[in-house]
Amino acid sequence: MPTVVDLFCGAGGLSCGFERAGFAVLAGCDVDRTFGETFVNNHDGARFFHGPVSQFRDGVLLRELDLRPGELDVLAGGPPCQAYSVYNHSRGMADPRSRLFEDYLRIVKDLKPKWLVMENVTGILSIEKGQLVERIKQAIRDIGYRQVEHFVLKAEKYGVPQERRRVVFIANRINQPVSEPAPTCRGADEFVNIWDAIGDLPPMHPDSRVDEAVPYACEPMTEFQLEMRGNRTLVRSHKSPRLGKINQERLKYIPEGGSWRNIPFDLLPAGMKKAKRSDHTKRYGRPKKTDLSCTILTKCDIHWGAYIHPIQNRPFSVREAARIQSFPDSFVFSGSMTEQFVQIGNAVPPRLAFALATHILPTLATESIAA
């Protein structure tokens, strides 16, 4: 069975997709213990290493996992992206978090995996007018990975029901060409929309905090729902952030496809009373059932994005956010509701990871290590 190790693993979205493709997940590494609890609870037999990746270079992972250099099939991971995000106005190589790339590559040099998969936000493309990306690729080549490319992948093209863009570096040292994974959706008419993803989940009162497993609202109506449910008859983590009375009142005025512009002026937040009607197009957004979701972030805050349920006056629940990220309903998130949303928003969508894994998998049967 092919093997994968997931650095900066978070809850394990990358690992989830690779596991579904037939890989054995050997281990994950992250600085957050709660993420680690989620990771080990959802990946049978996988080990979790707690701490910064700098602690696991110099052969530490080889010894801990009883591996020889070159034996691991794939080293995957997404170094934290805040240093490169367009939302971080001081982003760049001066940010100490950018050194995580260097630590990551030192571990690559130790393990010498056959394949390397490294994910980040699109903001990385604009740093140093694109030169940072080229320097990263050259650094990967310098440690023996002659085949290396980067791609901007659109998650919705791989069956993920949201607009999400990520830069993925793919490299190998087994003389295989590197190409972009083929989309599983050939056009917009094949995209999975919001209702395709969450339409079978039960209604919920805006103030509900129940964390018990509850029955589905109906039989699965789409292939996506069937895949997410598996053989489950009850769904867990279907709970939503509580809204204050003023926000509950605002939501009554927002139709499907609407936003803050539909809220009566006297009910608007003070800052938005001064906003232009053309600004903040996603704030207090209620997407249509037939829409793709906007990008799931680390909290479904209706003040910042279109995270209002299409027909219920509440934000998306934890399980709905997980569905929109393409996590199966069997995936259980540890920690508080806030921590669960962070884990979901930070993750690589498992369906996107599955596409990456299945793209790599055929090459492992015909490997030929470069000299």
Side-chain angles (χ1 to χ4, degrees):
M1 181 179 290
T3 54
V4 61
V5 168
D6 190 354
L7 301 185
F8 308 97
C9 63
L14 263 171
S15 297
C16 182
F18 270 80
E19 191 169 58
R20 182 181 159 224
F23 282 75
V25 180
L26 300 185
C29 168
D30 204 282
V31 295
D32 192 300
R33 288 190 185 277
T34 303
F35 294 177
E37 184 177 335
T38 298
F39 183 86
V40 296
N41 286 343
N42 289 280
H43 298 96
D44 289 342
R47 296 182 60 183
F48 175 72
F49 298 102
H50 175 247
V53 293
S54 58
Q55 294 183 4
F56 302 104
R57 60 195 194 204
D58 300 325
V60 171
L61 283 180
L62 286 173
R63 293 190 294 273
E64 289 288 342
L65 297 174
D66 193 24
L67 292 172
R68 297 185 301 274
E71 188 174 4
L72 180 68
D73 290 304
V74 180
L75 182 65
C81 58
Q82 293 90 337
Y84 309 100
S85 172
V86 293
Y87 297 107
N88 177 11
H89 299 296
S90 62
R91 69 188 190 275
M93 291 305 290
D95 190 309
R97 289 169 295 189
S98 65
R99 298 186 194 125
L100 292 170
F101 273 117
E102 298 173 14
D103 290 329
Y104 184 90
L105 292 179
R106 288 190 184 101
I107 293 176
V108 175
K109 194 172 182 180
D110 283 345
L111 293 175
K112 292 182 173 59
K114 300 176 182 71
W115 283 88
L116 169 65
V117 176
M118 189 167 66
E119 172 266 348
N120 217 291
V121 293
T122 55
I124 197 173
L125 298 173
S126 62
I127 298 174
E128 301 175 1
K129 298 181 179 180
Q131 289 305 300
L132 175 61
V133 167
E134 293 308 313
R135 290 200 290 114
I136 289 171
K137 289 165 70 174
Q138 187 56 52
I140 293 171
R141 292 187 189 101
D142 289 345
I143 57 175
Y145 292 79
R146 298 175 184 175
Q147 306 292 331
V148 55
E149 299 291 346
H150 75 279
F151 307 98
V152 178
L153 301 184
K154 298 180 178 181
E156 61 268 31
K157 289 188 174 182
Y158 301 93
V160 180
Q162 66 175 300
E163 296 177 340
R164 193 180 189 94
R165 309 286 180 270
R166 283 298 183 268
V167 175
V168 178
F169 295 83
I170 307 176
N172 72 73
R173 53 188 295 273
I174 57 175
N175 291 323
Q176 294 290 333
V178 175
S179 59
E180 183 175 345
T184 56
C185 298
R186 289 170 291 185
D189 59 327
E190 294 186 1
F191 290 166
V192 179
N193 64 41
I194 290 173
W195 208 242
D196 291 335
I198 69 171
D200 63 326
L201 296 177
M204 181 175 51
H205 189 275
D207 286 334
S208 175
R209 310 292 280 187
V210 176
D211 195 25
E212 297 175 358
V214 294
Y216 292 96
C218 60
E219 292 297 314
M221 300 178 290
T222 64
E223 177 274 332
F224 183 92
Q225 293 172 14
L226 187 64
E227 179 185 315
M228 295 300 106
R229 286 165 66 156
N231 60 2
R232 299 175 70 86
T233 58
L234 301 174
V235 61
R236 190 174 288 279
S237 296
H238 188 41
K239 53 186 178 180
S240 179
R242 181 178 288 129
L243 297 178
K245 289 184 178 179
I246 185 66
N247 270 331
Q248 290 185 36
E249 187 65 22
R250 289 166 179 155
L251 264 57
K252 295 177 183 177
Y253 295 93
I254 303 172
E256 274 192 69
S259 69
W260 70 275
R261 299 175 187 82
N262 300 103
I263 301 172
F265 183 81
D266 61 329
L267 286 178
L268 285 172
M272 299 191 75
K273 289 179 179 179
K274 303 175 184 178
K276 296 179 182 179
R277 301 289 289 180
S278 58
D279 291 344
H280 313 301
T281 56
K282 296 291 187 181
R283 288 191 175 188
Y284 285 89
R286 188 193 297 271
K288 296 177 183 177
K289 290 180 180 179
T290 54
D291 287 344
L292 287 169
S293 172
C294 62
T295 302
I296 295 295
L297 303 177
T298 54
K299 57 182 177 179
C300 288
D301 188 335
I302 62 174
H303 186 73
W304 295 109
Y307 301 120
I308 301 171
H309 190 278
I311 60 173
Q312 298 173 44
N313 287 334
R314 60 171 179 81
F316 288 136
S317 71
V318 170
R319 182 52 58 190
E320 286 162 345
R323 280 273 189 102
I324 292 169
Q325 277 280 63
S326 73
F327 278 101
D329 293 353
S330 59
F331 206 97
V332 179
F333 299 91
S334 299
S336 66
M337 184 188 298
T338 297
E339 290 171 321
Q340 291 175 22
F341 274 117
V342 169
Q343 292 170 62
I344 292 167
N346 278 339
V348 174
R351 273 197 164 191
L352 178 57
F354 176 78
L356 288 163
T358 53
H359 187 60
I360 289 170
L361 192 59
T363 69
L364 296 174
T366 58
E367 65 187 64
S368 174
I369 300 296

